[in-house]
Amino acid sequence: MTERIGIFNAGPAVLPEEVLLEAQKDLFNYKGCGQSVMEMSHRSPVFQGIIDDAMARLKDLMGLGDDYDILFLLGGASTQFLMIPMNLCPDDKTCNYVNTGTWATKALKEAKKLGKKMHIAASSEDKAFTYIPKEMDITDDAAYLHITTNNTIRGTEYHWIPDVNIPLIADVSSNFLSKPMDFKKFDMIYGGAQKNIGPAGMAFVVISKKIQEKLPGNVPTMLDYKTHISKGSMFNTPPCWTIYIVGLVAKWIQDNGGLVGIEKINKEKAGYIYNAMDRTDFYSGPVVFEDRSLMNIPFRLPTEELEKKFIAEAAQENFIGLKGHRSVGGCRASVYNSLPLKWAQKLGHFMDEFAKNNG
Ligand SMILES: *Cc1c(COP(=O)(O)O)cnc(C)c1O
């Protein structure tokens, strides 16, 4: 196959074609320095330039300044689930979580395992996580409130940011940099790079100077945010290649109109699929209308047999990644930033045709 296919994977996911081609060009000999980014010392000035550039571009996109630090850490978003309560929930306080599905549940479980006082401030479990709870009941002794801004498996997304007077922490793995957001409202955001901003192998953490004052200093070295902040995210060997690609993706977003431009395209892309879903009773979406995600779109067909057939026929047309998460079944289209518009358009058309032929 010489053509690229339609990559609707939930993560690792599609990357911008321009970024892949640029990385390919520089793969063998990065900008004439005689070595690739995978081979160079992370202590070299060339790599220092790469990591500084990636951090600066991310901050520019978020509109954040020196009052925040960016970290690139190993262990994925999943390790953040434990680092957050370990670092930011003292024993005399209670960490508060909104439970909006699988990943949120995993996050709050780690707080419990660490023996922290944990409180579920809101949950949408009563309706199979098909909506974002609007009301919260936060404890008086809250150390922080943790939310998941986009629920990759269930397909719900926060289209607003809770107003709270305690530190707000968010797992933004699957909608980071997909739209303008008031990032200053958060004391910490984090996620796995492999959904929306790069290849697998790294978590990004954006942490405010304000919340850093609360870090205790008795945490094991590698799990202590202080360690990584004090060393510019290079206490030990960082995931150099992933950081390099994240820098290229950030530049690509800047070149494509920033977050305002990206949101416009993301709305158009998601629109092709939601419109195909809404035009007919053949497809049904489980998510409450106002909480629909622009990034992950789950849908059902009338029977599981038809879902299998849909996925098989889609594969023949070069659409991949359309199977729903194994825990919920059905179908899911992930339409992250980097998915070319034409593929979302093509999938909408394919859905129309499939409904006509099988309805
Ligand atoms: C994928 C995902 C994670 C897990 O990320 P890893 O980097 O694999 O640990 C956590 N939260 C959300 C919202 C995700 O989509």
Side-chain angles (χ1 to χ4, degrees):
M1 194 182 305
T2 52
E3 295 284 295
R4 283 183 46 90
I5 58 177
I7 303 165
F8 291 86
N9 291 337
V14 62
L15 287 165
E17 292 182 359
E18 294 90 333
V19 165
L20 294 174
L21 291 170
E22 184 171 347
Q24 182 184 48
K25 182 166 72 63
D26 284 337
L27 177 69
F28 193 64
N29 183 349
Y30 178 75
K31 310 241 181 269
C33 73
Q35 52 186 330
S36 80
V37 176
M38 282 182 270
E39 299 163 304
M40 65 180 58
S41 167
H42 60 294
R43 306 285 175 209
S44 65
V46 181
F47 186 73
Q48 189 65 53
I50 290 173
I51 190 170
D52 289 348
D53 180 74
M55 286 179 179
R57 288 183 190 281
L58 293 179
K59 274 198 181 174
D60 175 66
L61 284 165
M62 289 184 284
L64 296 179
D66 289 341
D67 42 349
Y68 285 80
D69 284 299
I70 297 183
L71 305 174
F72 297 132
L73 304 178
L74 294 163
S78 300
T79 299
Q80 294 310 308
F81 294 164
L82 76 101
M83 279 177 74
I84 290 163
M86 209 179 219
N87 282 270
L88 294 167
C89 186
D91 289 339
D92 60 344
K93 295 223 168 179
T94 302
C95 43
N96 283 238
Y97 285 79
V98 178
N99 190 5
T100 46
T102 312
W103 296 111
T105 307
K106 286 190 177 179
L108 65 89
K109 264 193 191 152
E110 292 301 297
K112 266 203 224 164
K113 272 198 172 176
L114 287 167
K116 302 289 180 184
K117 284 187 276 175
M118 194 282 295
H119 169 72
I120 298 179
S123 169
S124 51
E125 196 172 4
D126 58 336
K127 290 186 181 149
F129 300 115
T130 51
Y131 69 102
I132 299 286
K134 307 295 178 301
E135 303 286 327
M136 286 179 297
D137 153 41
I138 296 171
T139 61
D140 291 335
D141 62 347
Y144 58 76
L145 176 72
H146 179 284
I147 63 168
T148 310
T149 53
N150 186 74
N151 296 282
T152 325
I153 296 174
R154 301 290 176 167
T156 59
E157 180 174 7
Y158 274 87
H159 297 293
W160 49 285
I161 300 173
D163 263 314
V164 288
N165 51 13
I166 50 167
L168 181 61
I169 299 179
D171 176 354
V172 299
S173 292
S174 50
N175 71 344
F176 186 46
L177 304 183
S178 65
K179 61 182 178 185
M181 251 199 222
D182 191 353
F183 289 99
K184 291 193 182 75
K185 281 194 164 179
F186 298 95
D187 288 89
M188 181 179 149
I189 57 170
Y190 69 96
Q194 73 278 11
K195 304 282 162 65
N196 217 8
I197 64 156
M202 178 175 105
F204 57 89
V205 170
V206 182
I207 184 166
S208 72
K209 287 260 161 46
K210 202 168 133 217
I211 207 173
Q212 288 175 29
E213 287 166 14
K214 299 189 179 173
L215 295 172
N218 61 349
V219 173
T221 310
M222 277 301 285
L223 299 178
D224 188 348
Y225 289 121
K226 277 188 171 171
T227 304
H228 303 287
I229 294 163
S230 68
K231 299 289 182 198
S233 204
M234 285 212 270
F235 170 74
N236 68 325
T237 319
C240 301
W241 175 259
T242 301
I243 292 169
Y244 161 64
I245 301 288
V246 164
L248 293 184
V249 172
K251 179 173 185 299
W252 176 83
I253 297 172
Q254 289 171 319
D255 292 345
N256 282 277
L259 300 187
V260 172
I262 275 291
E263 182 187 37
K264 194 162 162 271
I265 301 167
N266 285 337
K267 280 189 171 159
E268 187 178 344
K269 288 192 301 196
Y272 288 121
I273 294 154
Y274 282 122
N275 288 341
M277 247 168 72
D278 294 343
R279 258 194 287 275
T280 154
D281 291 337
F282 185 75
Y283 300 105
S284 58
V287 174
V288 167
F289 188 82
E290 77 256 24
D291 297 330
R292 282 176 164 186
S293 167
L294 284 187
M295 297 280 101
N296 308 98
I297 308 176
F299 53 92
R300 304 294 315 224
L301 276 66
T303 65
E304 285 185 18
E305 285 65 43
L306 281 168
E307 286 168 349
K308 274 196 193 123
K309 189 173 179 222
F310 177 87
I311 289 160
E313 286 187 18
Q316 283 173 358
E317 302 290 322
N318 289 335
F319 300 104
I320 61 152
L322 292 172
K323 202 163 180 254
H325 190 268
R326 59 190 183 282
S327 62
V328 294
C331 301
R332 170 180 55 172
S334 296
V335 285
Y336 294 124
N337 283 349
S338 312
L339 181 86
L341 186 108
K342 70 169 185 210
W343 279 107
Q345 199 170 9
K346 277 190 197 184
L347 181 59
H349 184 68
F350 175 82
M351 288 171 72
D352 288 342
E353 290 299 305
F354 191 88
K356 243 181 258 160
N357 296 336
N358 296 275

